[in-house]
Amino acid sequence: MQAGQDWCLECGTAAPGRLGAKAGWRSAFTVVALVTLLVVGAVVASYAALTSDSQRQAAAPSQGDGTPIPAPGPAAAPPVAPIAPGATGPGTVPPAAGTAPGAVPTPGAATPGAIPGTTPGKAPPLIPTNPTPPATNTPVKPPAATPPVNPPPPPPPPPPASTKPAAPKPRIIALRPDAAKTYDPANRAGAEFGPASFAIDKTPKTVWDVTVPADGKPIGAGLMINLGKPYSLRALKLATPTKGFRVELYGAQGKQTPEDILDKRWEHLTDIRSVEDGKLVSLAGKSKNKFQLLLIYVTTVADQTDPRAAIGDVDVAGTP
């Protein structure tokens, strides 16, 4: 052994006095330091090994073997603590009216709020719902063909508007105060005449009259009226206090007075066999010509013993 060597390296025999000597602090600290170093090394090696294995398992995906993984069952509801009869508070149901506090419900008795047909304490049976019937491919029939309906014929076009102006309506001809004159081409002896203007003054009480000797001869005189312009004559009305005398009606187209009743410029229109007071005499259709002069020619009287004829008012209707 070398100097200071406590043990023989060949046989392990301790130096004389070594086994009986007490261990020193130096040796104790040395042992503790070695043990601590070994423990720290083992911990570091273990941590490195675990970290390497976890990274390698996370990087490689797991290869399933095709076995289906069962779904987890519903979690069991936690047990509900029984509620003491008559207890109050959250989660309790107040007792029904007429039930004594703390009374135990009779089996079979209806419980307020319970679903009919169910037993208290048991889950109510599932109520089957009407499942929706599966859709069936029902062939859709096309709508029946409707025969075409013939549209109504269009209304006939309105008749073309007539270009011919409407005929004017007949009206009473306004006469000038001097439009009436006595017509006496024969100048009969003893004949007397009243003012001609009285026949057109719109006052029947004032008259134009003619009086002749009672010799039985025709009067042969009359009242001539100038209408102012040519008119198609339609009607004539006379007011007279001496009704029953006879007259002849003539018309002339010009303004000049024909010389006598036989003048061809006079056109005979019609005769009034017996003049009546206020009677309307139609002249429509008597001639196609328009006249400016109208002659009321008195031929005979109703009473030969009183040969007189009077006209109180004359109204003439026509169209220009």
Side-chain angles (χ1 to χ4, degrees), residues 7 18 23-40:
W7 302 86
R18 178 61 182 169
W25 287 104
R26 183 178 179 182
S27 300
F29 280 118
T30 301
V31 172
V32 171
L34 290 176
V35 171
T36 302
L37 181 61
L38 291 176
V39 171
V40 171

Side-chain angles (χ1 to χ4, degrees), residues 196-214:
S197 61
F198 286 175
I200 59 174
D201 62 357
K202 302 299 180 184
T203 306
K205 293 182 179 181
T206 59
V207 298
W208 168 88
D209 60 349
V210 52
T211 304
V212 297

Side-chain angles (χ1 to χ4, degrees), residues 115-119 121-127:
I115 301 175
T118 60
T119 303
K122 293 185 179 181
L126 297 178
I127 301 175

Side-chain angles (χ1 to χ4, degrees), residues 187-275:
N187 294 321
R188 182 178 176 184
E192 298 178 359
F193 301 94
S197 61
F198 286 175
I200 59 174
D201 62 357
K202 302 299 180 184
T203 306
K205 293 182 179 181
T206 59
V207 298
W208 168 88
D209 60 349
V210 52
T211 304
V212 297
D215 53 9
K217 294 181 180 180
I219 293 180
L223 181 69
M224 184 180 67
I225 301 174
N226 188 341
L227 303 177
K229 63 181 180 180
Y231 281 89
S232 295
L233 303 180
R234 297 298 181 87
L236 174 72
K237 184 172 67 171
L238 300 176
T240 177
T242 60
K243 60 184 179 180
F245 63 92
R246 180 172 178 171
V247 300
E248 296 175 357
L249 300 179
Y250 294 88
Q253 298 182 21
K255 296 185 292 183
Q256 295 181 354
T257 303
E259 295 180 359
D260 55 34
I261 198 62
L262 299 179
D263 195 316
K264 293 183 178 179
R265 287 177 291 180
W266 287 119
E267 182 177 345
H268 180 259
L269 300 176
T270 188
D271 296 337
I272 304 176
R273 295 180 178 275
S274 178
V275 176

